[in-house]
């Protein structure tokens, strides 16, 4: 009876497990990294906010600095309004809840055109209160500003491996 076969099999299984764990997403334990997001439609079901956000952990546990670019895209009902904005933010995670407080850094593009200072004054910062999913690959909750509350969905910006 050979006893080395069982050890080799165990080593092979362990080796595969280690290799597969190396392929596991880097986001297994927190919200750090890049996410995509969108909101529910608003303004007569004619506008929506979509964007990409990046979270960087700080020295304080469960606290992040972040930045994002988003687009507010509206159709004909709202004059084909288009606004692309860069915002800075901070985020705090408490349990499964993630709160994001932002500040408009710059309006990068606006159609119809408004001078940059006026465009920035007319865009309200986008803030969020979200719940992190169990697998930490999605967050759902609310977008809010001084004028409206919307549903919001965030999901990991991960390239698929083929």
């Amino acid at each position: 009876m050979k006893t080395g076969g069982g050890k080799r099999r165990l080593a092979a299984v362990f080796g595969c497990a280690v290799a597969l764990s190396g392929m596991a997403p880097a986001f297994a334990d927190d919200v750090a990294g890049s996410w995509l997001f969108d909101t529910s439609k608003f303004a007569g079901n004619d506008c929506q906010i979509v964007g990409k956000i990046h979270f960087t952990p700080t020295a304080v546990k469960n606290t992040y600095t972040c930045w994002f670019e988003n687009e507010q895209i509206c159709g004909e009902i709202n004059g084909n309004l288009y606004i692309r904005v860069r915002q800075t933010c901070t985020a705090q995670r408490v349990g499964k809840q993630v709160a994001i407080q932002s500040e408009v850094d710059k309006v990068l593009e606006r159609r119809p055109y408004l001078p940059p200072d006026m465009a920035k004054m007319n865009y309200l910062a986008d803030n969020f209160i979200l719940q992190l999913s169990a697998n930490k690959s999605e967050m759902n909750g609310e977008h809010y500003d001084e004028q409206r509350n919307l549903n919001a969905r965030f999901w990991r910006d991960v390239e698929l491996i083929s």
Side-chain angles (χ1 to χ4, degrees), residues 56-131:
T56 303
T58 68
V60 179
K61 185 178 179 180
N62 295 324
T63 302
Y64 305 84
T65 59
C66 45
W67 60 267
F68 61 99
E69 275 192 24
N70 63 289
E71 300 169 296
Q72 179 176 320
I73 305 164
C74 300
E76 287 184 22
I77 295 171
N78 290 282
N80 294 311
L81 177 64
Y82 174 85
I83 307 171
R84 188 166 56 98
V85 181
R86 181 176 58 221
Q87 299 184 56
T88 58
C89 52
T90 57
Q92 178 74 41
R93 178 178 169 195
V94 178
K96 292 181 180 181
Q97 299 289 323
V98 178
I100 302 167
Q101 184 74 38
S102 71
E103 182 176 309
V104 175
D105 180 40
K106 185 176 184 179
V107 174
L108 302 168
E109 183 178 356
R110 187 185 192 286
R111 296 186 306 260
Y113 178 80
L114 278 179
D117 288 344
M118 189 180 269
K120 184 177 176 181
M121 285 182 2
N122 284 305
Y123 192 90
L124 300 172
D126 297 298
N127 303 297
F128 302 89
I129 297 177
L130 306 162
Q131 176 134 345

Side-chain angles (χ1 to χ4, degrees), residues 18-31:
V18 168
L20 289 173
S21 70
M23 293 170 41
F27 52 81
D29 292 325
D30 62 28
V31 300

